[in-house]
Amino acid sequence: MSVVLITGSSTGIGRLTSLILARQGHRVYAGMRSLTSEDGAATAAEMARIAAAENLDLVAVQLDVSSQESADAAVRTVVDRAGHLDVVVNNAGHLCVGYAEAFTDDDLTHLLDINAVGAHRVNRAALPHLREQGSGTLLYVGSTIIVSTPPFLGPYAASKAAFDTLAVATSYEVAPFGIETSIVMPGAITRGTSHFPRASRASDATVASAYSALDPMVARNEDATASLVRPGLDPDPQRVADEIARVLALPRGHKPFRTVVDFTEAGVDHVMAFSDLVRESFVHRMGFGDLLRLRE
């Protein structure tokens, strides 16, 4: 069984993943932005109750991905307590909805900081330990939005594209040190997570008002997304957590680089299969094919 650190574990996919991995016998450290806020303390307490009732090795740790100091401290806590770290699940993220022009540079920078730079901070904290032991897995919870790119989610889509690109680029550099990479790409999920209910809005109200003719479309954005799921298909985020658990259970060297869980059935799996094939061919043509192979 593995020692696992998961970011963004207070709700949704992160919480579900923490629970399923702990129930499978892994030693799980569930990273949460705050353990002292009212919501954070309640979530950590609930997780502690579940762990005690089910005899799970599951502990909440403070991990604010917007702070390198916090990421370093969380990884240090894991290594000090468990003796090592095997898996990092980069899951933390935040949704923003609105008109692209109405997002100020600060809005956009903040979103990129959480959704892309945040994972980079956690990697910078964890990779020295994984490199030293010559093994480990970086699993990223990405998004099909980098292909589907629906309206009114431009800055969010851009941040997830940056997240994905950093994951790919990092994978080249860590594979020679025995560190695997997997990217799990969920499609749009409109229930069972706090993504839509807690979504932020663009802060420039003056600019946003210039687009008011489109407001009815924005208002039904969540319903429009939910309507893409065909009748009879249950869009349960637990299936994403199950897929993460399935990937991590695969033997070393046999984990897929990318996998898609998309209830909207948009065909992103086909697009990404071709995209990754083209990318890998390009890397081979450059003479860097060794970067695509995990060091045994």
Side-chain angles (χ1 to χ4, degrees), residues 96-221:
C96 281
V97 179
Y99 309 114
E101 184 190 347
F103 286 88
T104 66
D105 56 347
D106 286 340
D107 291 339
L108 184 56
T109 299
H110 179 64
L111 192 60
L112 286 163
D113 186 66
I114 295 172
N115 291 351
V117 182
H120 183 64
R121 290 189 183 99
V122 175
N123 284 350
R124 279 177 53 83
L127 281 171
H129 301 281
L130 303 185
R131 282 200 315 274
E132 183 178 1
Q133 67 193 25
S135 65
T137 300
L138 299 178
L139 189 144
Y140 301 82
V141 182
S143 175
T144 60
I145 200 170
I146 68 173
V147 175
S148 57
T149 317
F152 315 125
L153 297 171
Y156 175 73
S159 69
K160 295 305 287 186
F163 173 91
D164 193 281
T165 299
L166 277 170
V168 172
T170 302
S171 74
Y172 301 142
E173 297 158 10
V174 300
F177 294 91
I179 302 166
E180 293 184 90
T181 294
S182 285
I183 303 171
V184 175
M185 300 176 70
I189 299 175
T190 55
R191 72 167 183 83
T193 75
S194 61
H195 234 30
F196 275 95
R198 294 189 179 183
S200 297
R201 295 295 190 271
S203 66
D204 193 329
T206 301
V207 170
S209 68
Y211 290 87
S212 60
L214 303 180
D215 284 353
M217 292 185 183
V218 177
R220 64 182 181 87
N221 184 54

Side-chain angles (χ1 to χ4, degrees), residues 26-27 44 47 83 98 102 117 135 138 161 167 185 195 208-209 214 221 230 241 261-262 278 282 288:
H26 298 285
R27 188 170 186 176
M47 197 166 280
V117 182
S135 65
L138 299 178
M185 300 176 70
H195 234 30
S209 68
L214 303 180
N221 184 54
R230 60 181 167 84
V261 182
D262 184 13
V278 170
F282 189 81
F288 294 148

